[in-house]
Amino acid sequence: DSGVTQTPKHLITATGQRVTLRCSPRSGDLSVYWYQQSLDQGLQFLIQYYNGEERAKGNILERFSAQQFPDLHSELNLSSLELGDSALYFCASSELAGVTGELFFGEGSRLTVL
Amino acid sequence: GENVEQHPSTLSVQEGDSAVIKCTYSDSASNYFPWYKQELGKRPQLIIDIRSNVGEKKDQRIAVTLNKTAKHFSLHITETQPEDSAVYFCAASKDTGTASKLTFGTGTRLQVTL
């Protein structure tokens, strides 16, 4: 158990819909990262937050947005869903803003868009 | 941005043999290079990492080498065991201390056969 909690574990929805994925980081970790894992793309970095502030951005689509709340949990919002958004979405956390050690990954949220 | 290429995409070795996975990165400013192991249906977990001021690091049967000039780093697993079967991801990051965008390779599926 990494200490990072992600909900829901599985989600099935239709094209055009909007979903919210939630992540609670390890106790004491201030930095949260979101990654998308699809079969042929490996782990794609989406976005990083540190103590509520956006710190780094990857190839995150405009239809996707994220935020980190004062209690440090984070949410990833995916809207106008397309079939190609089906993937495993991982949240990870670390203590610091820079990666000076291990990223602790959650178990992931598997999104299926039909 | 950073681009990480990883080879091979699949690797099959016999138990007891060595396995080598190679990665190249594009951004000469990258200074942190972790390796993650992802077992089937599980979250990625850090197995070893190396920083740009070090050329080699070893941890029991696992070693990583870094050639900054060639922008190349490799994972070496000796005396492979069936439990080493997993997908391995290399990654590279430019850790500024205030933000980090860890870019992953596309993964290598290692199969250790009896």
Side-chain angles (χ1 to χ4, degrees):
Chain A
D1 184 7
S2 66
V4 178
T5 303
Q6 287 188 249
T7 57
K9 286 187 169 51
H10 301 276
L11 190 55
I12 300 174
T13 189
T15 55
Q17 296 298 303
R18 172 189 170 95
V19 299
T20 298
L21 309 181
R22 182 189 169 101
C23 170
S24 294
R26 286 191 324 156
S27 177
D29 284 358
L30 299 178
S31 204
V32 170
Y33 310 78
W34 285 97
Y35 281 85
Q36 179 191 56
Q37 185 174 41
S38 47
L39 280 175
D40 58 348
Q41 294 292 323
L43 285 159
Q44 296 288 317
F45 171 74
L46 295 178
I47 200 162
Q48 177 200 7
Y49 279 85
Y50 176 77
N51 204 20
E53 179 184 309
E54 182 184 309
R55 285 297 180 94
K57 212 166 186 176
N59 294 326
I60 187 168
L61 298 172
E62 285 190 11
R63 300 183 285 108
F64 296 1
S65 65
Q67 55 183 325
Q68 186 179 28
F69 295 86
D71 68 352
L72 301 178
H73 91 271
S74 178
E75 293 181 356
L76 179 65
N77 300 297
L78 316 174
S79 62
S80 302
L81 286 168
E82 302 176 357
L83 295 177
D85 297 328
S86 295
L88 187 55
Y89 291 85
F90 281 107
C91 169
S93 73
S94 66
E95 183 182 358
L96 303 174
V99 179
T100 56
E102 183 172 2
L103 288 190
F104 294 89
F105 283 82
E107 298 295 331
S109 292
R110 183 169 296 281
L111 173 66
T112 302
V113 182
L114 300 176
Chain B
E2 176 67 275
N3 182 50
V4 178
E5 294 190 358
Q6 183 172 348
H7 300 280
S9 56
T10 60
L11 180 58
S12 182
V13 299
Q14 284 198 320
E15 184 179 6
D17 287 350
S18 294
V20 180
I21 302 170
K22 299 182 179 182
C23 290
T24 59
Y25 61 99
S26 61
D27 188 348
S28 57
S30 287
N31 55 7
Y32 177 67
F33 307 92
W35 287 85
Y36 281 77
K37 175 183 179 182
Q38 186 177 25
E39 296 178 2
L40 189 62
K42 300 291 181 80
R43 60 187 174 89
Q45 290 187 272
L46 180 72
I47 55 171
I48 195 167
D49 57 9
I50 192 168
R51 287 172 172 77
S52 58
N53 59 347
V54 176
E56 184 173 356
K57 185 177 179 180
K58 191 173 180 180
D59 182 4
Q60 299 183 336
R61 297 185 296 107
I62 295 173
V64 58
T65 58
L66 172 65
N67 182 329
K68 286 174 55 180
T69 303
K71 291 188 282 187
H72 171 273
F73 58 116
S74 299
L75 177 72
H76 304 252
I77 305 174
T78 58
E79 300 172 20
T80 53
Q81 301 168 3
E83 52 264 39
D84 294 330
S85 296
V87 178
Y88 291 81
F89 292 95
C90 62
S93 172
K94 181 171 60 181
D95 181 3
T96 65
T98 59
S100 179
K101 191 168 86 171
L102 195 60
T103 301
F104 284 85
T106 49
T108 296
R109 184 174 299 279
L110 174 63
Q111 181 70 45
V112 180
T113 58
L114 298 174

